[in-house]
Amino acid sequence: MTRRRVAILISGRGSNMVSLIEAASRPDFPAGIALVLSNRPDAAGLERAAAAGIATAVVDHKAHPTREDFEQAMEAELKAHDIAFICLAGFMRVLTDGFVERWSGRMINIHPSLLPLYRGTQTHRRALEDGVLVHGCTVHFVVPELDAGPIIAQAAVPVVPGDTADSLAARVIVQEHVLYPKALRMICDGTARLDNGRVAFTRGWNADGTLHSPG
Ligand code: GRF
């Protein structure tokens, strides 16, 4: 098995990063986390990555005059670590079309909603305002349009009476931590790949069963 070299890009606490690092520490996982890169020197996730023995790098966007310049510095780190795939995990910088195109099919993101619903921020608050009874998270390939890339995997959770944005976020993030490693496995072992703007899957599907909420 070839273990693909993966970089995780973060800006904050890095709980998804930890779930990816943990999954990739298993010998049968088709990827190894070769780098954690943050655009913020104070991202809490950096310490957590270092504690797990992962190489870390900071490319501070504030130290670079343009977006292109910032991304060039990131590319240098990615090249130095021979990175094949990028996982965005709470990375709070918008990337240029050029960067996104260069990593097309090799860069994925996790988003806290069932896309295409609730692109952007404040997803849990907006879901509650709309009164949806099922919410969740999505892993998708990154394309230039924000949160609009082809979907690799989704997980759903119920919305229950009395939920707040925080309680809903807490329920969703548990599933993010399960879903993201699964999706990374799928792109690294070739189960899912980007093909003409769609995700092509090689594995069969189980069409039985429906998620009901309220259950
Ligand atoms: C997660 O909710 C993820 O879906 C979103 O940003 C948040 C990052 O959280 N893209 P963490 O840093 O992984 O804990």
Side-chain angles (χ1 to χ4, degrees):
M1 182 186 68
T2 328
R3 278 165 71 84
R4 314 307 297 263
R5 293 177 65 82
V6 170
I8 307 174
L9 271 50
I10 64 167
S11 301
R13 65 185 168 174
S15 74
N16 277 291
M17 173 204 78
V18 169
S19 75
L20 292 169
I21 290 173
E22 278 171 4
S25 71
R26 287 178 213 124
D28 68 333
F29 199 81
I33 309 305
L35 176 68
V36 167
L37 188 157
S38 173
N39 66 304
R40 294 184 54 130
D42 60 348
L46 284 170
E47 265 180 41
R48 301 173 84 177
I54 309 288
T56 62
V58 174
V59 178
D60 187 348
H61 61 279
K62 291 192 187 132
H64 296 276
T66 65
R67 224 174 260 282
E68 285 75 11
D69 199 58
F70 164 64
E71 290 177 352
Q72 245 173 43
M74 285 206 300
E75 290 278 17
E77 289 290 347
L78 296 168
K79 194 166 177 208
H81 289 86
D82 194 22
I83 297 303
F85 286 100
I86 295 176
C87 291
L88 303 181
F91 184 70
M92 300 305 283
R93 300 303 294 171
V94 173
L95 298 162
T96 65
D97 290 6
F99 187 93
V100 171
E101 298 294 357
R102 271 197 302 287
W103 287 90
S104 176
R106 301 185 297 139
M107 178 159 61
I108 63 178
N109 179 46
I110 187 152
H111 182 76
S113 77
L114 288 173
L115 290 172
L117 287 174
Y118 311 121
R119 293 175 180 168
T121 59
Q122 307 275 325
T123 57
H124 309 304
R125 182 182 60 71
R126 288 156 59 207
L128 287 174
E129 277 169 11
D130 285 349
V132 297
L133 294 181
V134 176
H135 185 49
C137 52
T138 302
V139 178
H140 62 92
F141 282 109
V142 178
V143 298
E145 193 182 342
L146 205 63
D147 301 330
I151 292 171
I152 301 164
Q154 294 186 301
V157 302
V159 180
V160 303
D163 261 338
T164 62
D166 284 349
S167 67
L168 192 49
R171 196 172 306 123
V172 170
I173 198 109
V174 171
Q175 296 310 318
E176 292 188 36
H177 296 162
V178 177
L179 190 70
Y180 212 176
K182 272 193 188 171
L184 179 60
R185 174 186 282 280
M186 287 164 73
I187 64 158
C188 287
D189 71 8
T191 304
R193 65 186 166 77
L194 188 62
D195 181 18
N196 248 326
R198 308 278 299 184
V199 180
F201 296 94
T202 57
R203 211 168 47 209
W205 293 90
N206 179 5
D208 299 332
T210 311
L211 175 70
H212 288 278
S213 182

